[in-house]
Amino acid sequence: MSQHIYGIFDYHRLHQQFLHTIAYDALVWTSLHGLLVGDKSVQRSGSVPGVGLVHAPVALFPTPFPENHWREACELAPIFNELVDRVSLDATFLHDSLSRTKKADEFTSRLLDIHSMMIQINKKEEIRLGLHRSDYMLDEKTKSLLQVELNTIASSFASLSNLVTELHRYILSCHGKLLELDSKRIPANDAVNQYADALAKAWSEYNNPRAVIMIVVQAEERNMYDQHFVSAVLRERHNITTIRKTLTEVDQEGEILPDGTLSVDGEAISVIYFRAGYTPDDYPSESEWRARLLMEQSSAVKCPSISYHLVGTKKIQQELAKPGVLERFLDNKDDIAKLRKCFAGLWSLDDSNIVRKAIERPELFVMKPQREGGGNNIYGDDVRETLLKLQKADSQEDAAYILMQRIFPSISATVLLRNGCWHKDHAISELGIFGTYLRNKNKVIMNEQSGYLMRTKVSSSDEGGVAAGFAVLDSVYLT
Ligand code: ADP
Ligand code: MG
């Protein structure tokens, strides 16, 4: 790669000793400020969870990103928030769109069953809270900002991304002169406070001063400090208590009181904040499904409700991208045009033309099952093989997948820091924009863009998750 591609961003020209110093400064900073994840390798038997700590995987320097596309992504956040809310109210659309998926995918099927039960008992969610994150990549050839996916459940890294922004500003304030970089070009990021604010406002709409916020967590979680930061802000700024429970514990300790209140271990719950429940692994037995149903039946504010969760599925993303579908949910023509502009090609597998193309040119597609959390997608030759296998099987199984246009972002030079070791590499980045939405009946209380998350991964890797071990946390340097 020649230097002119990167200009001042060619971090590869930096000297080893200089990078070593910066990596050490970064390590100290992450420890002093809690930019941390759990380290299972240090777990001792009998110890409390989280005794092993390690800095979160980070990029040493922010990644360049064009300011116009950055603004474009920020402007989309409130529009997507509103779209999620509108779609969530259309049970017919959700069930029709997911009807074939239901037959092929057991997990989606269970979620839909809960949704159907709520319709049967005429359960209405009047207070609706969305903590979303819409992820984008900048396609190099077309210079367009394209959405990768929209997360409506357990959108992570509001807290740690906030810290990475601070870390990068610190590094540039110390070393920026040498690097010819200006720390002010890193946009402010207040994601953790805005997430906590939204949760606090939902708590206050629920209007039971004695109730607490419950975070539903996985039994084994490395990214717990990202969650604890939100709890700390709720406690320190809003004087609100949070409790942490797994789905299994909710099943064992939870009940619905006669007035509809969810009580867990004797505590009234105002808001349920899911940081678990998005993958089948979180439901090893019927107990966890009972817990999910119990919570849904209660009067607590769910973040997300079962319908918000379903709106975030890959199948719904693909259905919304079909011509004329956005018009069903939104009135504003400008908003519709802005959303459509960021939609990549998305297809269902019953489109035989596209399947044929994908078998011919699999490198131009990504095949996605209805899963969240990283590490599930299919790329390259595996796309061809899987499609051929599905064709032969002649079953309903194809409905478990969607096809998506593969996005090719530009490659930049980066320095990654993981487990205390740094290395230079070529990388691509994915920009996530957090969005907060809260409404009570007809009153929209919050609908905002709420900070950002940049994730950077080596360009040879297909997948992008930080928690899944593919990417590092990063921030944005506006160009
Ligand atoms: P998950 O719910 O598992 O996070 P994603 O749709 O976000 O699913 O896909 C995981 C990762 O795969 C993304 O972070 C990104 O790195 C990569 N990816 C997904 N879709 C595309 C695409 N259309 N083009 C290129 N890479 C993609
Ligand atoms: Mg993702």
Side-chain angles (χ1 to χ4, degrees):
M1 309 265 163
S2 62
Q3 168 136 355
H4 73 269
I5 302 179
Y6 307 124
I8 53 172
F9 289 107
D10 186 7
Y11 299 131
H12 289 194
R13 76 194 148 87
L14 300 173
H15 295 297
Q16 301 284 106
Q17 190 51 47
F18 181 55
L19 286 175
H20 209 76
T21 308
I22 294 181
Y24 183 72
D25 286 353
L27 270 185
V28 172
W29 196 98
T30 57
S31 305
L32 295 183
H33 295 83
L35 181 41
L36 303 168
V37 291
D39 181 358
K40 280 195 201 129
S41 65
V42 193
Q43 206 72 264
R44 285 186 189 86
S45 68
S47 74
V48 293
V51 66
L53 310 173
V54 64
H55 72 91
V58 292
L60 271 195
F61 307 104
T63 294
F65 201 86
E67 190 164 356
N68 57 335
H69 288 298
W70 154 257
R71 288 195 192 290
E72 192 184 335
C74 293
E75 277 176 27
L76 289 170
I79 312 175
F80 271 117
N81 286 343
E82 193 184 324
L83 178 67
V84 170
D85 192 64
R86 297 272 176 98
V87 177
S88 78
L89 299 175
D90 193 332
T92 311
F93 174 77
L94 289 175
H95 281 262
D96 287 352
S97 304
L98 292 164
S99 63
R100 281 197 71 228
T101 314
K102 186 178 195 316
K103 294 195 185 111
D105 188 68
E106 170 69 12
F107 181 63
T108 310
S109 173
R110 297 291 308 247
L111 296 175
L112 277 169
D113 288 344
I114 296 178
H115 189 251
S116 298
M117 284 185 240
M118 294 308 111
I119 296 168
Q120 262 167 27
I121 61 170
N122 199 24
K123 181 87 176 61
K124 296 264 182 298
E125 298 298 322
E126 284 174 340
I127 307 171
R128 302 198 290 275
L129 171 65
L131 297 180
H132 303 146
R133 201 189 70 223
S134 182
D135 294 334
Y136 305 90
M137 282 176 167
L138 194 54
D139 190 57
E140 186 179 28
K141 225 187 237 155
T142 58
K143 297 275 176 284
S144 48
L145 181 85
L146 296 178
Q147 186 183 49
V148 173
E149 66 155 348
L150 176 65
N151 300 284
T152 58
I153 181 165
S155 311
S156 55
F157 294 120
S159 309
L160 297 195
S161 71
N162 215 154
L163 290 171
V164 178
T165 299
E166 294 307 315
L167 166 69
H168 284 168
R169 284 181 161 189
Y170 166 75
I171 289 175
L172 294 200
S173 71
C174 300
H175 306 285
K177 269 221 175 83
L178 274 169
L179 295 159
E180 301 168 54
L181 297 176
D182 175 4
S183 66
K184 291 192 199 70
R185 301 297 301 168
I186 303 175
N189 193 3
D190 199 26
V192 65
N193 291 321
Q194 293 184 65
Y195 259 35
D197 233 32
L199 285 160
K201 286 205 171 95
W203 175 87
S204 128
E205 287 299 310
Y206 187 79
N207 201 19
N208 175 356
R210 284 185 311 277
V212 302
I213 294 180
M214 176 169 74
I215 310 184
V216 179
V217 296
Q218 295 180 326
E220 288 200 22
E221 172 67 81
R222 277 194 74 200
N223 193 23
M224 63 279 232
Y225 300 105
D226 187 54
Q227 303 166 358
H228 282 295
F229 262 105
V230 177
S231 296
V233 176
L234 282 167
R235 187 174 60 244
E236 286 159 18
R237 281 205 181 176
H238 303 280
N239 203 20
I240 298 173
T241 304
T242 52
I243 59 169
R244 296 166 64 82
K245 296 286 175 189
T246 62
L247 285 166
T248 319
E249 287 168 334
V250 172
D251 181 47
Q252 288 161 354
E253 302 167 14
E255 60 173 332
I256 297 182
L257 306 180
D259 68 350
T261 305
L262 175 67
S263 163
V264 178
D265 196 17
E267 303 259 26
I269 309 297
S270 55
V271 182
I272 307 166
Y273 175 30
F274 284 90
R275 292 297 294 259
Y278 53 86
T279 149
D281 299 345
D282 291 342
Y283 301 82
S285 72
E286 283 305 306
S287 162
E288 292 74 27
W289 284 112
R290 270 200 305 274
R292 185 73 194 261
L293 178 63
L294 183 84
M295 290 186 278
E296 202 63 30
Q297 288 168 316
S298 78
S299 65
V301 180
K302 296 111 197 146
C303 181
S305 64
I306 199 83
S307 42
Y308 268 42
H309 184 172
L310 288 169
V311 177
T313 55
K314 310 246 170 354
K315 179 63 189 170
I316 294 296
Q317 178 186 13
Q318 178 254 309
E319 286 289 323
L320 288 170
K322 281 186 179 169
V325 177
L326 285 180
E327 283 78 0
R328 180 165 168 177
F329 301 105
L330 298 174
D331 309 312
N332 187 313
K333 294 240 157 24
D334 287 345
D335 287 353
I336 293 173
K338 280 181 194 162
L339 292 188
R340 190 154 287 138
K341 194 167 162 225
C342 82
F343 288 168
L346 286 153
W347 304 274
S348 122
L349 268 65
D350 49 20
D351 183 335
S352 56
N353 272 334
I354 281 298
V355 171
R356 188 158 26 80
K357 265 189 210 156
I359 290 171
E360 273 165 31
R361 301 286 309 275
E363 69 281 7
L364 301 181
F365 296 85
V366 179
M367 199 170 159
K368 299 189 176 184
Q370 307 301 312
R371 289 288 170 274
E372 305 291 329
N376 303 299
N377 297 338
I378 302 170
Y379 302 86
D381 287 341
D382 293 342
V383 170
R384 176 186 291 134
E385 263 171 48
T386 313
L387 288 174
L388 288 172
K389 222 187 283 165
L390 288 172
Q391 274 184 344
K392 264 200 210 125
D394 194 26
S395 66
Q396 298 276 348
E397 211 196 318
D398 65 319
Y401 299 91
I402 62 158
L403 274 169
M404 185 170 181
Q405 161 198 351
R406 178 142 189 184
I407 310 165
F408 294 98
S410 59
I411 294 172
S412 57
T414 190
V415 187
L416 312 150
L417 181 66
R418 190 190 285 283
N419 291 323
C421 303
W422 60 269
H423 81 279
K424 301 176 187 177
D425 216 319
H426 295 111
I428 55 177
S429 295
E430 182 171 347
L431 174 66
I433 301 286
F434 294 107
T436 47
Y437 186 83
L438 176 66
R439 73 183 288 156
N440 192 346
K441 295 179 194 148
N442 289 329
K443 198 169 86 197
V444 177
I445 297 157
M446 260 181 120
N447 182 11
E448 270 147 65
Q449 179 257 320
S450 310
Y452 66 92
L453 162 74
M454 190 73 148
R455 281 174 303 171
T456 292
K457 60 175 183 178
V458 295
S459 51
S460 52
S461 156
D462 292 324
E463 281 288 332
V466 174
F470 304 107
V472 299
L473 300 170
D474 197 351
S475 71
V476 169
Y477 191 93
L478 296 178
T479 58

